[in-house]
Amino acid sequence: MTGLVPRRHHDIADDLRHQITTGSIKPGERLPAEAGLAAQYRVSTVTLRRALAVLQGEGLVEKIHGKGNYVRHPRRKIMYVGGWGTLDPWTAAEPTLRITVRSTTVPASVHLTTLLKVPTGSPLAEYTCLSLEQGSPHGLARIYIPRDLAPAGVLDDDSVCQEAATRFAVLGPSPATIRETVCARSPTPDEASALRIGSTTAVLAITRIATDPTGRVIEAALLAFPGDRVDAVFTTHHVLDERQTQR
């Protein structure tokens, strides 16, 4: 670290930012303990943490609970393909991108009852998918399926469902329609924790509803991506009115 002795947290953030951007502190490197940094800069740990919070908000530093503060690897955006409801094939096939999947059975809450059009308390299969690159989270998907429609073998390495999970795709039967609602908002506490972002960092939130040919909702997915780590692409195909083409 340099011999600079600033008094304000913005000065400390500027000094650490300079060291990170010039390579003096390298991606993946752990910063000294907060108490040690505070002593070096001759400030309180409260002031030091404010400085680190600035860098965390900028995405330069990541705080991992129980381990410390680490310099982030350069960000690479992933792509979400609207309409298909998946991460694009190139993103999903990246060797550095890893998806973890956890499954459980939960009763339908009021919110899920509305989305899935099932009675409150109905058993649902819940799949929590987290995409990571070099240990850094890129996206979170919570996918809910009526228990009687839940596919077997989602967590099997060789299953078709596992391949779908790596793309955040629909896990249940092939849908007839997919409806996606997109908004930018603050993360929930659970999302902030899973994605390791601050509460002030905006997320791109997508609610995806898949239905079968009869109109039954076969799956509801709640997806969240840090706003600076994803591009969402939607393509619209216009169909000409037959009456116009016959003129």
Side-chain angles (χ1 to χ4, degrees), residues 108-196:
S109 64
V110 173
H111 180 54
L112 294 175
T113 293
T114 302
L115 294 178
L116 286 152
K117 299 180 180 178
V118 295
T120 302
S122 298
L124 303 175
E126 177 191 64
Y127 301 93
T128 302
C129 308
L130 183 67
S131 66
L132 304 105
E133 183 178 30
Q134 296 178 326
S136 180
H138 273 264
L140 174 68
R142 288 189 175 92
I143 301 173
Y144 298 91
I145 303 174
R147 197 69 187 87
D148 62 310
L149 296 179
V154 171
L155 303 183
D156 296 339
D157 290 339
D158 297 328
S159 74
V160 173
C161 289
Q162 175 66 19
E163 192 273 335
T166 64
R167 295 183 292 114
F168 284 13
V170 174
L171 299 181
S174 297
T177 62
I178 294 178
R179 181 175 182 269
E180 292 161 297
T181 303
V182 184
C183 72
R185 58 167 172 76
S186 299
T188 65
D190 286 347
E191 290 168 347
S193 176
L195 295 170
R196 299 179 201 162

Side-chain angles (χ1 to χ4, degrees), residues 54-67:
V54 172
L55 300 178
Q56 290 161 5
E58 295 174 359
L60 292 176
V61 170
E62 175 181 22
K63 184 170 185 176
I64 301 178
H65 182 69
K67 294 184 177 181

Side-chain angles (χ1 to χ4, degrees), residues 39-96:
Q40 176 184 324
Y41 285 112
R42 302 180 188 177
V43 296
S44 67
T45 54
V46 172
T47 299
L48 188 279
R49 285 171 182 164
R50 287 176 181 167
L52 293 176
V54 172
L55 300 178
Q56 290 161 5
E58 295 174 359
L60 292 176
V61 170
E62 175 181 22
K63 184 170 185 176
I64 301 178
H65 182 69
K67 294 184 177 181
N69 294 283
Y70 290 78
V71 177
R72 280 189 183 274
H73 288 274
R75 290 173 173 168
R76 182 181 67 87
K77 285 190 174 184
I78 60 177
M79 184 180 293
Y80 180 84
V81 183
W84 290 92
T86 64
L87 302 184
D88 74 279
W90 294 274
T91 293
E94 281 285 343
T96 57

